[in-house]
């Protein structure tokens, strides 16, 4: 299995910035893609951004131009730089890893979530 540990959430004023990190650990796995999703109270979980092992990225429409996802393959770590934050970005942010193992094939793992709160 793959364990994900997130860090970097917190409280920030509107217009401010935060950087989230997510490190994957375990043994015998290779990661296909990592990404971030978020869930606000009363809403469904939505895509924020994903990045493949080759560096291809995909962003949710609401964060394009403001958030940047990056990845350190050697450290199995993904980062989310969030700029120009808005109150509507307030949510619990979850890290995701899509990975494969020789025995079990492809699977997904989720982090425990980190709270991001943007005050107006």
């Amino acid at each position: 299995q793959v364990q994900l540990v997130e860090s970097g959430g917190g409280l920030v004023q509107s217009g401010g910035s935060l950087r989230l990190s997510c490190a994957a650990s375990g043994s015998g796995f290779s990661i296909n893609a990592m990404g971030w999703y978020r869930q606000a109270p009363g809403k469904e979980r939505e895509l924020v951004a994903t990045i493949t092992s080759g560096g291809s990225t995909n962003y949710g429409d609401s964060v394009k131009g403001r958030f940047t996802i990056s990845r350190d393959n050697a450290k199995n770590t993904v980062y989310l730089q969030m700029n120009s934050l808005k109150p509507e970005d307030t949510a619990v942010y979850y890290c995701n890893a899509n990975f494969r193992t020789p025995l079990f094939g492809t699977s997904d793992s989720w982090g425990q979530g980190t709270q991001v709160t943007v005050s107006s």
Side-chain angles (χ1 to χ4, degrees):
Q1 263 293 1
V2 172
Q3 292 78 43
L4 301 176
V5 177
E6 303 143 332
S7 61
L11 174 64
V12 65
Q13 288 188 333
S14 181
S17 298
L18 281 175
R19 188 190 194 213
L20 305 182
S21 300
C22 173
S25 63
S27 62
F29 69 94
S30 58
I31 293 180
N32 298 320
M34 297 184 74
W36 293 92
Y37 293 75
R38 68 186 182 186
Q39 188 166 19
K43 295 187 177 181
E44 294 186 352
R45 190 171 296 189
E46 65 174 357
L47 167 73
V48 177
T50 61
I51 185 167
T52 69
S53 58
S56 296
T57 58
N58 184 42
Y59 292 92
D61 289 341
S62 62
V63 306
K64 285 179 181 177
R66 299 187 298 122
F67 291 10
T68 302
I69 190 169
S70 60
R71 179 172 169 175
D72 185 333
N73 288 336
K75 296 182 179 179
N76 284 327
T77 299
V78 65
Y79 307 95
L80 184 68
Q81 178 66 43
M82 304 185 292
N83 298 329
S84 302
L85 282 161
K86 305 175 182 180
E88 50 263 44
D89 293 318
T90 296
V92 177
Y93 284 69
Y94 295 92
C95 179
N96 169 269
N98 179 267
F99 64 95
R100 62 184 181 273
T101 61
L103 186 60
F104 298 108
T106 300
S107 186
D108 279 282
S109 184
W110 292 89
Q112 77 283 0
T114 184
Q115 177 70 47
V116 171
T117 302
V118 184
S119 62
S120 57

